[in-house]
Amino acid sequence: MISFRSFSKSFGAQLAVDGLNLEVARGEVLALLGPNGSGKTTTLKAAAGLIVPSAGAVMLGEPPRSAQEPAAREVLSYLPQKVSFPDALTGREIVEFYRELRDLPGERVPKVMRFASLNGAGERMVGTYSGGMVQRLGLAVAMLPEAPVFLLDEPTAALDPDGLCAFDALVQHAREDGRAVLFTSHQLGDVERLADRFAILVGGRLVACLSASDLKDRLAERGVMRLRFAPVEGRDWTAEAVLPAVRPLAPAASWSGDELIVPGPASVRPRVLDLVRTLGIEVRGLTADEGQLGELYRELVAEAAPAHGEGAK
Amino acid sequence: MKKLRLFAAEELALALRSRWTQIFALVFAALSAAVAGAGYVLSGGQGVQDFARTAVSLVQLVVLLVPLTALVIGVLSLAPERGAAELIYSQPVPRRTVLLGKLLGLFQALAAAQAMGFGAAGLLVYSQAGSEGVGGFVLLVLASLLTTAIFLGLAALLATGAVGRKRTRALALALVVWFVAVVLLDLAALGIASVLPSGPASRVLMVAAIVNPVGAVRTGALLGIEGTGAFGAASLALFRFTRGAGGVGVVLGASVLFWLVVPTLFALRRLRRADV
Ligand SMILES: Nc1ncnc2c1ncn2[C@@H]1O[C@H](COP(=O)(O)OP(=O)(O)OP(=O)(O)O)[C@@H](O)[C@H]1O
Ligand SMILES: [Mg+2]
């Protein structure tokens, strides 16, 4: 539904996005990650037809049409990173305006106002809204047309826990309806919970694109199991005794204090446990941690940064 | 067309709620009433001047105030906050529809604001002096509306591409444009003319009066209201220059049309390829 074809954009000498190839299919939720200034907003703006690509193209819908064409944007709902509205209009007037602009039935208005929990504030001027209320109004406008393509630029940045909950429901709903969602966020928790795929931009280049199952595998590899053994009179459960036996299964296993540390995928853990039992050791404590998306993200960014560092700043 | 009207209606509502438009309406009404009433004072309480004389006095007010407000209110409304522009231009509507709709709404708002002033002055004159010379007054109102449209187009040109921070710059430029069109060009023409022999001097003045949008509207309005008497010998020279009254109309009309259409066309062209 969204397709970036060798899309590049430069602002003067500044290359903001460099040869991006990326597709978002129906029913797919793709999270675009990357450090500040890595080109996420530029990418979304191009898909919203707001900026003219310096090279390549961005296509929307089926059959694909250039995002530059107004008619192609019928399929689109875009929430800007820092959405704002004229101060002198009320929330309801704004939603009503966009409803008429998109030729939608009147019953959509109370629906999205309720979704955004703006019913109480609907008659107030937007100039009196808090930052999060403006963001909610932006979401209300974005969900108004039930468009097949959602582009959301840091939609959760200003939301309170209730707002986040409503947003999760919105994304879930969009996925079930077979819409394509492309969103950016720095909240890796939201990202991990919501997205089917993760694309990481660094310095305007796509450095990684992982599916949720890729991500699970990658994170599992970075998991770690810690075992503590019950002391038994006359037996020595120290590194020398246990490690040589465990190493063939988990080469990175190590001993720390009184714990056996077994890094690596979850799949080796039961086998290590079995082995330990056959050695006649009693396990007294077991903890297992999965890898953190945050760590993986930082590593991927750091890997890419030296190569593309000059593009970033 | 429906979408264009939708943008116009939104812009009209916004403009009518804007402090700027309200201040303009009040100031303009107060000054118009004052100009109309001044005749009463000047004549020692004998009665106010008729429509034609009032219209002549009001031309100066229109020429000074209307371009300024159209430029300032136009730029402020047409150079939106970044987040607002992004949302609007991502909608499935051609950018030209957005700009033309907003221009239409702004024009309606400013016309409504001016109607208050002209209404007040008109009522005052009518109640005291009857409807004599009302044609000249109508011409003045027309000239004022044309000036509004011309300077809204110039505001659009200044405002397109001026998203976010660049708004302040567009606003400063608007003041420069006002100063050049309303003050500087006339002064410069007068200055140049004063050092030239009378023949070329009157030609410089004539060209300045035709080429400058403010000059063209003012010249047209005054000639329309007062006929050849408007500028004395200068009008005769102008009529000779353009070979008769019809010629004057064509030349001034062409100038006004140019200023009405060309800046807006450039604004639309600039907007089409601009990054929002
Ligand atoms: N209108 C513009 N003019 C000049 N440079 C720009 C413009 N917009 C973006 N840039 C530059 O392009 C690069 C990418 O910016 P972009 O806004 O896409 O980053 P981002 O990934 O969205 O960052 P953030 O996480 O801070 O929102 C930055 O270096 C930025 O300075
Ligand atoms: Mg951004």
Side-chain angles (χ1 to χ4, degrees):
Chain A
M1 292 299 278
I2 315 172
S3 137
F4 296 89
R5 301 183 178 168
S6 309
F7 162 67
S8 297
K9 178 67 187 179
S10 36
F11 297 102
Q14 166 91 35
L15 190 56
V17 178
D18 186 6
L20 176 68
N21 283 298
L22 189 65
E23 303 266 340
V24 189
R26 279 174 184 284
E28 185 175 43
V29 180
L30 188 135
L32 195 56
L33 312 178
N36 292 132
S38 56
K40 304 180 296 295
T41 295
T42 306
T43 301
L44 258 62
K45 276 184 169 185
L50 294 173
I51 59 175
V52 186
S54 308
V58 187
M59 315 298 276
L60 292 175
E62 282 158 14
R65 282 202 282 177
S66 161
Q68 302 280 108
E69 288 175 41
R73 297 197 294 267
E74 292 283 357
V75 299
L76 182 90
S77 236
Y78 168 62
L79 177 66
Q81 180 166 4
K82 274 205 258 162
V83 68
S84 71
F85 299 97
D87 281 350
L89 294 179
T90 68
R92 189 174 305 280
E93 282 174 328
I94 284 167
V95 174
E96 195 56 49
F97 171 79
Y98 282 99
R99 182 193 70 73
E100 276 193 62
L101 194 62
R102 304 290 291 249
D103 290 320
L104 302 165
E107 75 249 19
R108 290 295 297 158
V109 173
K111 239 183 222 154
V112 301
M113 294 299 279
R114 206 167 333 113
F115 159 81
S117 316
L118 284 170
N119 275 324
E123 313 308 326
R124 268 165 54 191
M125 300 270 176
V126 171
T128 67
Y129 279 20
S130 72
M133 288 164 81
V134 173
Q135 187 76 8
R136 279 164 180 264
L137 183 58
L139 271 175
V141 170
M143 67 174 290
L144 199 53
E146 301 192 289
V149 173
F150 255 138
L151 299 172
L152 308 166
D153 202 350
E154 299 195 22
T156 58
L159 293 183
D160 61 17
D162 274 352
L164 272 180
C165 210
F167 175 73
D168 283 13
L170 170 69
V171 172
Q172 210 54 47
H173 209 76
R175 184 185 352 240
E176 282 158 17
D177 287 359
R179 294 188 243 159
V181 182
L182 173 57
F183 78 104
T184 74
S185 178
H186 294 295
Q187 259 68 61
L188 295 177
D190 300 347
V191 168
E192 209 173 347
R193 199 171 58 245
L194 294 170
D196 304 318
R197 237 168 13 122
F198 310 82
I200 301 183
L201 278 180
V202 178
R205 296 183 134 229
L206 187 64
V207 299
C209 194
L210 305 168
S211 70
S213 67
D214 287 342
L215 184 75
K216 255 208 191 95
D217 294 347
R218 294 284 289 265
L219 291 183
E221 274 167 33
R222 326 170 125 261
V224 58
M225 175 172 70
R226 294 191 171 80
L227 294 176
R228 261 184 323 117
F229 302 142
V232 173
E233 217 42 59
R235 308 280 301 260
D236 174 26
W237 301 142
T238 52
E240 299 78 57
V242 181
L243 275 182
V246 172
R247 282 250 161 87
L249 283 176
S254 64
W255 194 268
S256 151
D258 59 347
E259 281 185 336
L260 177 67
I261 308 219
V262 187
S267 53
V268 304
R269 291 173 200 163
R271 286 192 279 153
V272 171
L273 275 176
D274 285 347
L275 176 77
V276 164
R277 278 202 212 98
T278 55
L279 290 173
I281 307 173
E282 190 192 335
V283 175
R284 175 179 273 188
L286 183 155
T287 57
D289 293 320
E290 297 311 321
Q292 298 290 309
L293 176 56
E295 271 169 44
L296 175 63
Y297 166 81
R298 274 194 293 279
E299 248 167 62
L300 287 170
V301 169
E303 259 170 43
H308 311 298
E310 61 286 8
K313 274 279 127 66
Chain B
M1 217 35 213
K2 185 192 155 231
K3 310 241 153 123
L4 192 140
R5 280 206 305 275
L6 196 59
F7 279 102
E10 194 197 40
E11 204 59 37
L12 175 63
L14 275 173
L16 291 181
R17 286 177 202 178
S18 140
R19 192 72 32 93
W20 290 100
T21 318
Q22 291 166 1
I23 290 175
F24 166 59
L26 287 179
V27 167
F28 191 75
L31 290 177
S32 304
V35 166
Y40 184 76
V41 178
L42 286 178
S43 61
Q46 298 294 301
V48 303
Q49 295 171 315
D50 68 7
F51 270 114
R53 300 227 53 78
T54 308
V56 170
S57 317
L58 280 175
V59 166
Q60 273 317 318
L61 182 66
V62 164
V63 158
L64 215 64
L65 214 52
V66 168
L68 182 65
T69 45
L71 280 168
V72 169
I73 293 176
V75 165
L76 285 177
S77 321
L78 297 173
E81 304 277 334
R82 182 179 290 280
E86 288 170 352
L87 188 56
I88 283 178
Y89 289 120
S90 72
Q91 301 298 317
V93 178
R95 292 182 178 186
R96 62 169 183 278
T97 307
V98 178
L99 183 63
L100 291 176
K102 281 170 173 269
L103 279 173
L104 180 61
L106 283 170
F107 179 77
Q108 289 168 340
L110 292 178
Q114 290 164 28
M116 275 177 61
F118 291 131
L123 275 179
L124 194 63
V125 172
Y126 182 72
S127 66
Q128 301 290 318
S131 66
E132 195 160 331
V134 76
F137 194 76
V138 170
L139 197 66
L140 166 78
V141 175
L142 215 66
S144 182
L145 293 180
L146 278 176
T147 311
T148 308
I150 288 173
F151 282 89
L152 279 178
L154 285 166
L157 185 55
L158 293 175
T160 42
V163 178
R165 262 180 319 226
K166 293 190 202 142
R167 279 179 99 195
T168 335
R169 203 177 64 190
L171 196 59
L173 267 178
L175 293 178
V176 170
V177 167
W178 173 78
F179 184 74
V180 168
V182 174
V183 182
L184 197 66
L185 280 179
D186 279 354
L187 280 183
L190 275 176
I192 294 169
S194 70
V195 298
L196 290 176
S198 74
S202 71
R203 234 164 290 146
V204 165
L205 288 176
M206 263 183 280
V207 169
I210 291 166
V211 171
N212 173 6
V214 175
V217 170
R218 179 174 48 204
T219 310
L222 289 178
L223 284 176
I225 298 166
E226 297 194 292
T228 38
F231 308 105
S235 329
L236 290 177
L238 182 61
F239 277 53
R240 257 205 317 281
F241 183 64
T242 58
R243 301 197 172 79
V248 176
V250 169
V251 169
L252 292 178
S255 169
V256 167
L257 195 67
F258 173 89
W259 286 109
L260 210 51
V261 173
V262 173
T264 309
L265 283 182
F266 269 107
L268 288 172
R269 227 182 77 139
R270 214 172 140 182
L271 187 63
R272 203 158 55 97
R273 300 290 297 171
D275 289 340
V276 176

PDB file of all heavy atoms in Angstrom, chain B residues 20-35:
ATOM      1  N   TRP B  20      -7.077  40.925  14.666  1.00  0.00           N
ATOM      2  CA  TRP B  20      -6.583  41.848  13.631  1.00  0.00           C
ATOM      3  C   TRP B  20      -7.725  42.380  12.772  1.00  0.00           C
ATOM      4  O   TRP B  20      -7.818  43.567  12.505  1.00  0.00           O
ATOM      5  CB  TRP B  20      -5.563  41.147  12.746  1.00  0.00           C
ATOM      6  CG  TRP B  20      -4.281  40.849  13.437  1.00  0.00           C
ATOM      7  CD1 TRP B  20      -3.898  39.642  13.969  1.00  0.00           C
ATOM      8  CD2 TRP B  20      -3.222  41.762  13.722  1.00  0.00           C
ATOM      9  NE1 TRP B  20      -2.664  39.758  14.548  1.00  0.00           N
ATOM     10  CE2 TRP B  20      -2.228  41.031  14.412  1.00  0.00           C
ATOM     11  CE3 TRP B  20      -3.017  43.109  13.444  1.00  0.00           C
ATOM     12  CZ2 TRP B  20      -1.034  41.624  14.827  1.00  0.00           C
ATOM     13  CZ3 TRP B  20      -1.832  43.681  13.862  1.00  0.00           C
ATOM     14  CH2 TRP B  20      -0.859  42.956  14.552  1.00  0.00           C
ATOM     15  N   THR B  21      -8.573  41.449  12.309  1.00  0.00           N
ATOM     16  CA  THR B  21      -9.673  41.866  11.439  1.00  0.00           C
ATOM     17  C   THR B  21     -10.636  42.764  12.203  1.00  0.00           C
ATOM     18  O   THR B  21     -11.135  43.759  11.662  1.00  0.00           O
ATOM     19  CB  THR B  21     -10.437  40.627  10.918  1.00  0.00           C
ATOM     20  OG1 THR B  21      -9.488  39.628  10.569  1.00  0.00           O
ATOM     21  CG2 THR B  21     -11.271  40.976   9.719  1.00  0.00           C
ATOM     22  N   GLN B  22     -10.883  42.416  13.451  1.00  0.00           N
ATOM     23  CA  GLN B  22     -11.824  43.220  14.239  1.00  0.00           C
ATOM     24  C   GLN B  22     -11.283  44.628  14.449  1.00  0.00           C
ATOM     25  O   GLN B  22     -12.006  45.629  14.300  1.00  0.00           O
ATOM     26  CB  GLN B  22     -12.088  42.529  15.579  1.00  0.00           C
ATOM     27  CG  GLN B  22     -12.874  41.232  15.411  1.00  0.00           C
ATOM     28  CD  GLN B  22     -12.844  40.366  16.657  1.00  0.00           C
ATOM     29  OE1 GLN B  22     -12.245  40.729  17.666  1.00  0.00           O
ATOM     30  NE2 GLN B  22     -13.464  39.201  16.572  1.00  0.00           N
ATOM     31  N   ILE B  23      -9.979  44.711  14.765  1.00  0.00           N
ATOM     32  CA  ILE B  23      -9.378  46.041  14.958  1.00  0.00           C
ATOM     33  C   ILE B  23      -9.476  46.838  13.664  1.00  0.00           C
ATOM     34  O   ILE B  23      -9.850  48.016  13.650  1.00  0.00           O
ATOM     35  CB  ILE B  23      -7.911  45.905  15.407  1.00  0.00           C
ATOM     36  CG1 ILE B  23      -7.871  45.351  16.830  1.00  0.00           C
ATOM     37  CG2 ILE B  23      -7.183  47.244  15.322  1.00  0.00           C
ATOM     38  CD1 ILE B  23      -6.480  45.075  17.329  1.00  0.00           C
ATOM     39  N   PHE B  24      -9.133  46.161  12.543  1.00  0.00           N
ATOM     40  CA  PHE B  24      -9.195  46.856  11.262  1.00  0.00           C
ATOM     41  C   PHE B  24     -10.602  47.383  11.002  1.00  0.00           C
ATOM     42  O   PHE B  24     -10.782  48.544  10.601  1.00  0.00           O
ATOM     43  CB  PHE B  24      -8.746  45.915  10.138  1.00  0.00           C
ATOM     44  CG  PHE B  24      -9.086  46.413   8.760  1.00  0.00           C
ATOM     45  CD1 PHE B  24      -8.605  47.640   8.306  1.00  0.00           C
ATOM     46  CD2 PHE B  24      -9.892  45.654   7.913  1.00  0.00           C
ATOM     47  CE1 PHE B  24      -8.920  48.097   7.035  1.00  0.00           C
ATOM     48  CE2 PHE B  24     -10.207  46.120   6.647  1.00  0.00           C
ATOM     49  CZ  PHE B  24      -9.728  47.343   6.200  1.00  0.00           C
ATOM     50  N   ALA B  25     -11.605  46.535  11.245  1.00  0.00           N
ATOM     51  CA  ALA B  25     -12.982  46.953  10.978  1.00  0.00           C
ATOM     52  C   ALA B  25     -13.338  48.191  11.805  1.00  0.00           C
ATOM     53  O   ALA B  25     -13.918  49.155  11.285  1.00  0.00           O
ATOM     54  CB  ALA B  25     -13.946  45.803  11.294  1.00  0.00           C
ATOM     55  N   LEU B  26     -12.963  48.176  13.071  1.00  0.00           N
ATOM     56  CA  LEU B  26     -13.304  49.301  13.950  1.00  0.00           C
ATOM     57  C   LEU B  26     -12.569  50.569  13.534  1.00  0.00           C
ATOM     58  O   LEU B  26     -13.170  51.649  13.402  1.00  0.00           O
ATOM     59  CB  LEU B  26     -12.969  48.944  15.400  1.00  0.00           C
ATOM     60  CG  LEU B  26     -13.925  47.927  16.022  1.00  0.00           C
ATOM     61  CD1 LEU B  26     -13.516  47.592  17.441  1.00  0.00           C
ATOM     62  CD2 LEU B  26     -15.362  48.461  15.980  1.00  0.00           C
ATOM     63  N   VAL B  27     -11.250  50.433  13.319  1.00  0.00           N
ATOM     64  CA  VAL B  27     -10.456  51.607  12.933  1.00  0.00           C
ATOM     65  C   VAL B  27     -10.981  52.185  11.623  1.00  0.00           C
ATOM     66  O   VAL B  27     -11.167  53.402  11.471  1.00  0.00           O
ATOM     67  CB  VAL B  27      -8.965  51.224  12.804  1.00  0.00           C
ATOM     68  CG1 VAL B  27      -8.175  52.328  12.115  1.00  0.00           C
ATOM     69  CG2 VAL B  27      -8.392  50.923  14.173  1.00  0.00           C
ATOM     70  N   PHE B  28     -11.230  51.285  10.675  1.00  0.00           N
ATOM     71  CA  PHE B  28     -11.680  51.744   9.362  1.00  0.00           C
ATOM     72  C   PHE B  28     -13.040  52.442   9.471  1.00  0.00           C
ATOM     73  O   PHE B  28     -13.264  53.491   8.856  1.00  0.00           O
ATOM     74  CB  PHE B  28     -11.757  50.551   8.399  1.00  0.00           C
ATOM     75  CG  PHE B  28     -11.955  50.947   6.971  1.00  0.00           C
ATOM     76  CD1 PHE B  28     -10.910  51.485   6.232  1.00  0.00           C
ATOM     77  CD2 PHE B  28     -13.185  50.779   6.349  1.00  0.00           C
ATOM     78  CE1 PHE B  28     -11.086  51.855   4.912  1.00  0.00           C
ATOM     79  CE2 PHE B  28     -13.374  51.144   5.025  1.00  0.00           C
ATOM     80  CZ  PHE B  28     -12.321  51.685   4.301  1.00  0.00           C
ATOM     81  N   ALA B  29     -13.928  51.864  10.276  1.00  0.00           N
ATOM     82  CA  ALA B  29     -15.248  52.479  10.441  1.00  0.00           C
ATOM     83  C   ALA B  29     -15.118  53.848  11.097  1.00  0.00           C
ATOM     84  O   ALA B  29     -15.737  54.841  10.657  1.00  0.00           O
ATOM     85  CB  ALA B  29     -16.147  51.568  11.283  1.00  0.00           C
ATOM     86  N   ALA B  30     -14.289  53.920  12.135  1.00  0.00           N
ATOM     87  CA  ALA B  30     -14.121  55.187  12.839  1.00  0.00           C
ATOM     88  C   ALA B  30     -13.558  56.254  11.905  1.00  0.00           C
ATOM     89  O   ALA B  30     -14.062  57.386  11.841  1.00  0.00           O
ATOM     90  CB  ALA B  30     -13.203  54.979  14.042  1.00  0.00           C
ATOM     91  N   LEU B  31     -12.514  55.874  11.149  1.00  0.00           N
ATOM     92  CA  LEU B  31     -11.886  56.855  10.264  1.00  0.00           C
ATOM     93  C   LEU B  31     -12.826  57.262   9.132  1.00  0.00           C
ATOM     94  O   LEU B  31     -12.901  58.441   8.764  1.00  0.00           O
ATOM     95  CB  LEU B  31     -10.576  56.304   9.701  1.00  0.00           C
ATOM     96  CG  LEU B  31      -9.449  56.180  10.734  1.00  0.00           C
ATOM     97  CD1 LEU B  31      -8.202  55.561  10.102  1.00  0.00           C
ATOM     98  CD2 LEU B  31      -9.099  57.549  11.325  1.00  0.00           C
ATOM     99  N   SER B  32     -13.556  56.293   8.576  1.00  0.00           N
ATOM    100  CA  SER B  32     -14.480  56.633   7.486  1.00  0.00           C
ATOM    101  C   SER B  32     -15.543  57.601   7.982  1.00  0.00           C
ATOM    102  O   SER B  32     -15.859  58.604   7.310  1.00  0.00           O
ATOM    103  CB  SER B  32     -15.174  55.375   6.953  1.00  0.00           C
ATOM    104  OG  SER B  32     -14.226  54.444   6.559  1.00  0.00           O
ATOM    105  N   ALA B  33     -16.097  57.296   9.147  1.00  0.00           N
ATOM    106  CA  ALA B  33     -17.119  58.179   9.700  1.00  0.00           C
ATOM    107  C   ALA B  33     -16.520  59.559   9.961  1.00  0.00           C
ATOM    108  O   ALA B  33     -17.155  60.589   9.701  1.00  0.00           O
ATOM    109  CB  ALA B  33     -17.687  57.578  10.985  1.00  0.00           C
ATOM    110  N   ALA B  34     -15.277  59.576  10.442  1.00  0.00           N
ATOM    111  CA  ALA B  34     -14.625  60.849  10.720  1.00  0.00           C
ATOM    112  C   ALA B  34     -14.440  61.650   9.443  1.00  0.00           C
ATOM    113  O   ALA B  34     -14.695  62.861   9.398  1.00  0.00           O
ATOM    114  CB  ALA B  34     -13.278  60.607  11.400  1.00  0.00           C
ATOM    115  N   VAL B  35     -13.994  60.948   8.370  1.00  0.00           N
ATOM    116  CA  VAL B  35     -13.787  61.653   7.096  1.00  0.00           C
ATOM    117  C   VAL B  35     -15.110  62.222   6.601  1.00  0.00           C
ATOM    118  O   VAL B  35     -15.202  63.379   6.166  1.00  0.00           O
ATOM    119  CB  VAL B  35     -13.173  60.698   6.051  1.00  0.00           C
ATOM    120  CG1 VAL B  35     -13.255  61.290   4.653  1.00  0.00           C
ATOM    121  CG2 VAL B  35     -11.730  60.398   6.414  1.00  0.00           C
TER     122      VAL B  35
END
